[in-house]
Each structure stands twice: as structure tokens, then as C-alpha cells.
Amino acid sequence: MDDPTALPKDAAVCASPLRRRLWLALGYAAVGLGIAGTVLPLLPTTPFLLLAAGAFTKSSPALRDRLYRDPRFGPLLRDWQAEGAIPRKAKAAALIGMGVSWTIVALTASRPLVPILAGTCMAAVAVYIVTRPSPSRPAPQDAASEGAAVEDGGNVSALRNEA
């Protein structure tokens, strides 16, 4: 499959209008929660976007393709779909977010069991995140800079003279 955003050939939209609307509503709700997760430390983003992509697969292939082509969320979804990979920056953001969240829970909890349970869950999620591979493709800015150096034969001074 050349296009990582293309729908599999066997993915069929629901024939029932009611089911299609329910899948569509689930997709929109998941996108909303995913967007909220970009600013709220306790709410994840990627799982909701994966859920939205699955719901849109059953209800609106156009919305699914739009989600996969989104400049902010699309690369994360495509990396996960293709390789089960999480970029290093996303891993770092997730670990920092969980650390901040656990600190808030630990400082505000009235019972000591709450931070212990929250910390145990977060530690398990952190282990899962850290053990996922990073994408095998280079980051977009790395690819652009490598391409410029290769086109010019690696002559950095020529690049400086053009600027």
C-alpha cells in the first residue's frame, strides 16, 4: 500500500443510517476529547484520535482521510498505523505530562492510596510508551536539510553564500 492514509479495500461504511450516525457521533466525540487532551494533562490525545479514525472508517471515509492528512495529528496516526511507533517528542511529552499529573495528584490527594494507585497505572502506561518503537522515517525537518546538503554535494559553504 503506497498511501498510508488510504482505506483498506475491505473497509465498508455502515449500510444502516442509524448505525452510521452513531459511528459518526462517536468519531466527533473522540476528536473533541483528543483535542481537549492536547491541553489537559490527564486526558490523552492519541487513543481518542485512533478511536475517531476507526469510527470514521465505518461512517465517513472522507473524515477519516481528513484526520489522517491533518498536519498536526496525521503523522502520529500514520506512524502508529504503519509501525505501531510513537515519535520521541510525543513520548517525552507524554512522560512529562504524566509526571506533572502524578505530582498534582500526590500533592492534592487526601488519602495516600490515591497517588499510589495513580502512580502504578501511570508507570504501566509509561513503560508501554517507552517500549514502543520510534518511527523509522526521518523527521520532516531532518529530511529537508539532508536533501539540501545532498543536492549541493554536501557543500555547506555554498548554502551559507546563498543566504
Side-chain angles (χ1 to χ4, degrees):
M1 199 188 268
D2 292 342
D3 183 8
T5 63
L7 284 172
K9 293 189 186 337
D10 60 347
V13 175
C14 284
S16 165
L18 177 61
R19 284 188 180 179
R20 184 178 179 275
R21 286 189 189 112
L22 289 173
W23 282 114
L24 197 58
L26 177 63
Y28 277 120
V31 167
L33 289 170
I35 290 171
T38 61
V39 294
L40 298 174
L42 291 174
L43 198 61
T45 300
T46 306
F48 288 117
L49 294 177
L50 291 170
L51 176 62
F56 288 151
T57 296
K58 295 183 179 279
S59 62
S60 174
L63 287 175
R64 180 204 179 265
D65 287 347
R66 183 176 173 190
L67 188 60
Y68 269 77
R69 288 188 177 100
D70 183 82
R72 182 172 189 161
F73 302 125
L76 294 170
L77 293 170
R78 288 190 302 270
D79 289 341
W80 182 259
Q81 180 186 20
E83 307 175 56
I86 302 173
R88 285 191 178 120
K89 284 184 180 180
K91 288 180 188 182
L95 295 175
I96 289 168
M98 284 190 290
V100 169
S101 297
W102 184 83
T103 302
I104 292 169
V105 168
L107 293 174
T108 59
S110 60
R111 297 183 178 171
L113 185 60
V114 173
I116 291 170
L117 291 174
T120 302
C121 290
M122 288 181 190
V125 171
V127 167
Y128 180 78
I129 289 171
V130 169
T131 58
R132 298 303 95 203
S134 294
S136 59
R137 63 169 173 70
Q141 65 273 15
D142 295 340
S145 63
E146 286 175 12
V150 170
E151 289 174 4
D152 190 37
N155 188 349
V156 177
S157 62
L159 292 175
R160 286 189 193 135
N161 291 337
E162 290 177 9

